[in-house]
Amino acid sequence: MAPRTCRGKVVVERARVGRPSQQEQKRRELIPVIARAFTELGYRGATTAELARRCGVQENILYRVWPDKKAMFLAAIEFVYEFSESTWLSVLESGGDGDPARRILEFESRHHGEFGHYRILFTALGETDDAEIREAARRIFGRFHRFLRAQIAARSRRSRRALAPPELTAWAAIGLGTAANIGRELGLLGDAERRRLMSTIGRVLLEGEAS
């Protein structure tokens, strides 16, 4: 599923797929619980027994869906992006004033990091000696970048106030969100400070001026 812009609106191209298999339905049902467990316990701290307990199933059920714990973690990494994209698309499709990039910024200034999914990505970055985890993290950050770049590019075509090309601004936005999450995780930034950081510096990135 890849976003593209059309006359200022976000368009999502969805591949036509058949009816999901029973295994795929089970995966969709369990992955939010799996992701929450990895968020709270980390990769090494989350045993398959605990993952199964939280899912309310026997371990053998998990192994019918994923071959091992690493495969479950890789699926959780993928879930972080899918959840974020779904949330952003809902924001953009709900209507309202403002260009796509600005609306995402306003949403994230209020809600960024509230589900703790960033912990999964932080954990993945600490496991990059594993080639599969490294590739999964690389792919997900790339998808975040492409999505944000598309929204920023749509805005840039209507405004000449951007300070940098969309591809660089998108990376800066990812860095801004990472800094806000570090501030949350270490207790360096309170809720109001994080909102101000996201809103104020985000506007600088998009418009070249603070509010």
Side-chain angles (χ1 to χ4, degrees):
M1 180 168 62
R4 63 184 177 87
T5 56
C6 180
R7 296 181 181 178
K9 296 181 179 180
V10 171
V11 177
V12 181
E13 296 176 338
R14 302 178 187 273
R16 291 187 177 182
V17 294
R19 187 175 181 178
S21 66
Q22 190 173 34
Q23 184 180 41
E24 178 62 18
Q25 289 177 331
K26 197 63 165 177
R27 187 196 75 84
R28 293 179 182 178
E29 174 188 333
L30 297 180
I31 191 57
V33 183
I34 296 286
R36 171 55 59 184
F38 281 125
T39 293
E40 296 175 359
L41 302 175
Y43 176 49
R44 298 180 185 274
T47 65
T48 54
E50 177 61 14
L51 294 173
R53 187 190 70 79
R54 292 191 178 209
C55 290
V57 300
Q58 298 296 318
E59 283 185 73
N60 68 308
I61 298 298
L62 291 184
Y63 288 127
R64 291 177 188 174
V65 183
W66 297 283
D68 52 32
K69 188 177 81 169
K70 184 168 75 172
M72 299 174 202
F73 185 65
L74 294 174
I77 295 174
E78 186 77 18
F79 173 79
V80 173
Y81 177 80
E82 292 176 351
F83 182 89
S84 298
E85 184 190 70
S86 177
T87 300
W88 289 341
L89 289 174
S90 294
V91 170
L92 296 176
E93 293 168 358
S94 66
D97 298 328
D99 60 81
R102 183 66 176 268
R103 287 162 65 188
I104 290 174
L105 172 62
E106 291 174 351
F107 176 85
E108 288 298 316
S109 68
R110 298 190 302 272
H111 301 287
H112 185 71
E114 65 184 5
F115 292 102
H117 291 152
Y118 61 87
R119 288 183 173 184
I120 294 175
L121 299 183
F122 283 5
T123 298
L125 292 175
E127 299 287 343
T128 53
D129 286 344
D130 184 297
E132 289 180 286
I133 294 177
R134 182 182 184 278
E135 179 56 31
R138 184 178 186 276
R139 182 172 61 252
I140 291 321
F141 277 105
R143 293 179 71 185
F144 273 121
H145 179 261
R146 287 191 294 274
F147 186 97
L148 294 173
R149 181 183 62 191
Q151 315 318 314
I152 294 167
R155 185 182 199 284
S156 297
R157 285 193 289 269
R158 297 190 297 273
S159 172
R160 297 182 179 181
R161 301 173 69 181
L163 294 178
E167 60 269 23
L168 299 183
T169 303
W171 282 123
I174 291 171
L176 175 61
T178 301
N181 286 332
I182 291 172
R184 178 195 291 269
E185 192 68 18
L186 300 180
L188 295 172
L189 296 172
D191 290 343
E193 292 172 306
R194 287 196 308 275
R195 286 194 294 268
R196 185 181 179 193
L197 173 67
M198 293 291 294
S199 177
T200 303
I201 303 305
R203 286 191 177 95
V204 171
L205 292 174
L206 292 179
E207 303 173 1
E209 62 181 28
S211 59

